[in-house]
Amino acid sequence: MKAAIFFCVLSLYNNQLFSQKKTQNEIRIDELIQKMTIEEKVGQMAQITLDVLGVKDGAEPFVLDPVKVQDAVVKYKLGSVLNTSNNKAMTATAWNEVVKNLQTNSSNTRLKIPLIYGFDAIHGATYVDGATFFPQPIAQAATWNRQLVHKAAEVTAYECKSTGVAWNFSPVLDLGVNPCWPRIWETFGEDPYLTSQMGMQVIDGYQNSLGNKNKILACLKHYLGYSDPKNGKDRTNAWIPENYLREYHLPSFKAGIKAGARTVMVNSGMINGIP
């Protein structure tokens, strides 16, 4: 498959947000991992884009191909699906049908582990027909208004969740430090403090409190140094001094973890020679 594969790692930290129920869930997860084959573990770590599961690439309205879906989810034990720009906006009802179809197939797997479905909704639920669009993060940061950013995140969570999607690849906590990099508009700018403050507001707006039917999971990205590639091109290698990494690039991610973000997307290029 022409798959876009990302590795998202659970943010593991010790704070009082973990309830007894979460502990029971962790026990259940441990039991599942013990039962999993290598193929099932690899499948759970893989993510493909929704368009490769369609009847026809680029066709509108989007229709899932049942053979492709069964092949990906049941045969290859797929763990998650990502929306891309190839998928046009659809109504919340249409998205619910897509997600329901995928989850029905996941219930037919040996361990019945549900799929995780993710949107890239960084300034509103951009894939949902009729959703509210907000200014890009760089413009939100320019307001210096925590309350506005928090409210935008709450609305985005509500409108994403209405589709049956509960995972959002946001906020972008990379610093907008390289003018050649083509994704600066996704960031909250070049200042670590401002980026940290705005990121914390977004995370709280998405997640607080988890379990509420209107809330979604946040995913911090892209850890680490993704926004300062040596040649300025997206998804390419970075060479950043260790002290710069720790003093400028790390604080926003540290703040995001302390704010309770549940997942992290890693940098897809090498940094200082390390993949």
Side-chain angles (χ1 to χ4, degrees), residues 12-37:
L12 302 176
Y13 56 94
N14 181 23
N15 67 27
Q16 296 179 349
L17 291 176
F18 283 93
S19 63
Q20 185 61 36
K21 183 177 180 181
K22 176 63 178 177
T23 302
Q24 292 170 352
N25 286 341
E26 289 181 329
I27 293 171
R28 173 61 176 151
I29 290 168
D30 287 340
E31 292 173 349
L32 284 171
I33 291 174
Q34 291 299 319
K35 295 177 182 178
M36 290 171 74
T37 64

Side-chain angles (χ1 to χ4, degrees), residues 182-196:
R183 299 177 62 177
I184 284 183
W185 46 272
E186 293 185 58
T187 75
F188 291 112
E190 65 182 357
D191 183 77
Y193 179 76
L194 180 59
T195 298
S196 298

